[in-house]
Amino acid sequence: MDKAKFKGVFSALLTPYTTDDKINGKSVKQIIDFNLAKGINGFYVGGSTGEGMLLTVEERKQLFKYAAESNAGRGTMIAHVGTINTNHAIDMAKYAQDMGYDAISAVAPFYYGFSYEAIKGYYNDIANSVDIPMIMYNFPNANGFQFNKERAEDMFKNKKFIGIKHTTSDLFALQQFKTMECDPLVYNGFDEILVAGLSMGADGGIGSTYNFMPQKYVDMYRLFNEGDIKQAQKIQYEANEIITMLIKYGVFATEKGILEEMGIEMGGCRKPFTELSAEGKAYCKQLVKKL
Ligand code: MN9
């Protein structure tokens, strides 16, 4: 298993729509080209940022197809197939494998408060349905599933599991995963703490704000690895000033507003997300002049 291609900075790809609310393949290509040109290592497709839970299974597959075709073997591709229905997730995992994805990933099933045994069964069912590896998506705020080193050691007995996308601020837990015998790949999931995550052992980051400011994350990762922590921290602070505003106006809608302002047709976010406010739009306009 070649882990090298899974290290680095990955954009959690936003899902752009056409004016008639279809997945916008042309814009997918524009985002991917822009990100790769800046040095992004690959893409995490159809996750939280990609509004995966707001798309139909068919739309998610279509998004996988557009992204794989646009990427054309350049970056490392991870398909997020997580959902509450195991059969749907398996269907998407198989499709992603056919489309040439390097790995699949899945959030734990939500809503019913499933037992640990049920969640483990879901992960094994999905992982065993394909030959490509699985990256566990740890996002406790979204599903309440408490994932820790003990559970990871149990689940990672299945050798299909190679990594964890760690979307929590618990950096002690992140470091504990790195002490596991199988040495999983661990990704920092909150962009606002990438440098902190790297310093606790993360192998890279996956994030939504990478879509429109990829250079900042490419630079943070490079500077960190060169040992220039002060400079990496400076860029993190710059990014965080922007992220603070995104949180104020709505993260994904504002990210889309920024890319739209940069000339890529994005559309808004699927309902029940609300539209970007006039104030949010004004912020996007003003920010793009400075980026
Ligand atoms: O995929 C994103 N996670 C979520 C990563 O949105 C749940 C992050 O990139 C955040 O959007 C970002 C802003 O809080 O860190």
Side-chain angles (χ1 to χ4, degrees):
M1 173 71 227
D2 172 23
K3 279 193 177 165
K5 70 174 174 185
F6 287 106
K7 296 193 179 186
V9 279
F10 292 71
S11 295
L13 191 70
L14 285 158
T15 298
Y17 304 109
T18 58
T19 44
D20 57 350
D21 200 32
K22 304 246 171 13
I23 312 277
N24 191 326
K26 180 169 170 247
S27 301
V28 165
K29 171 108 176 27
Q30 287 176 306
I31 304 168
I32 288 180
D33 285 346
F34 165 59
N35 279 231
L36 289 172
K38 297 291 181 188
I40 284 290
N41 299 101
F43 300 91
Y44 187 89
V45 184
S48 309
T49 304
E51 298 169 58
M53 304 304 156
L54 300 172
L55 306 179
T56 64
V57 170
E58 283 315 308
E59 286 176 319
R60 289 173 74 170
K61 289 188 191 172
Q62 179 146 49
L63 175 66
F64 290 163
K65 185 168 191 282
Y66 284 143
E69 285 172 357
S70 304
N71 180 63
R74 293 178 290 172
T76 297
M77 300 296 279
I78 306 167
H80 176 263
V81 304
T83 178
I84 180 175
N85 181 305
T86 299
N87 289 332
H88 291 175
I90 290 174
D91 180 19
M92 289 186 272
K94 288 183 169 163
Y95 186 80
Q97 170 165 270
D98 290 346
M99 283 291 125
Y101 278 74
D102 298 283
I104 50 165
S105 180
V107 75
F110 38 87
Y111 188 75
Y112 287 111
F114 293 108
S115 67
Y116 171 64
E117 285 311 312
I119 292 172
K120 187 177 152 187
Y122 157 95
Y123 274 109
N124 281 326
D125 286 342
I126 301 168
N128 293 337
S129 74
V130 288
D131 298 320
I132 52 177
M134 161 71 88
I135 293 166
M136 198 277 168
Y137 182 7
N138 181 31
F139 188 15
N141 284 356
N143 50 32
F145 175 50
Q146 294 308 318
F147 188 60
N148 50 30
K149 182 183 172 183
E150 197 187 334
R151 287 181 166 177
E153 276 175 332
D154 182 36
M155 279 172 47
F156 279 56
K157 283 181 197 146
N158 182 342
K159 296 297 166 217
K160 288 268 172 57
F161 290 76
I162 59 157
I164 301 163
K165 169 167 148 49
H166 189 66
T167 304
T168 100
S169 302
D170 186 348
L171 298 179
F172 175 43
L174 185 157
Q175 182 266 331
Q176 290 295 295
F177 292 135
K178 287 305 292 179
T179 65
M180 284 164 60
E181 187 152 342
C182 64
D183 187 27
L185 292 152
V186 181
Y187 297 97
N188 180 80
F190 279 130
D191 311 358
E192 46 276 47
I193 53 170
L194 175 63
V195 173
L198 290 172
S199 72
M200 290 303 272
D203 298 282
I206 298 173
S208 68
T209 62
Y210 299 24
N211 281 273
F212 70 89
M213 47 178 177
Q215 189 77 61
K216 287 204 189 316
Y217 295 97
V218 168
D219 288 347
M220 270 184 241
Y221 183 68
R222 179 180 47 80
L223 289 162
F224 179 84
N225 286 314
E226 289 170 2
D228 192 348
I229 312 300
K230 267 279 157 230
Q231 196 55 31
Q233 188 188 53
K234 182 171 168 275
I235 300 174
Q236 178 79 76
Y237 285 8
E238 287 168 15
N240 289 5
E241 204 182 308
I242 297 168
I243 295 174
T244 308
M245 300 306 282
L246 301 191
I247 292 170
K248 178 173 170 191
Y249 296 124
V251 175
F252 308 138
T254 313
E255 289 169 349
K256 286 183 160 181
I258 293 164
L259 282 162
E260 184 93 36
E261 200 55 50
M262 289 165 75
I264 302 180
E265 186 182 46
M266 296 299 293
C269 292
R270 280 268 165 93
K271 281 182 178 176
F273 277 122
T274 52
E275 271 178 45
L276 187 58
S277 64
E279 206 191 334
K281 281 184 190 153
Y283 173 73
C284 296
K285 242 191 180 58
Q286 171 232 317
L287 178 72
V288 167
K289 285 189 202 132
K290 295 193 299 191
L291 273 178

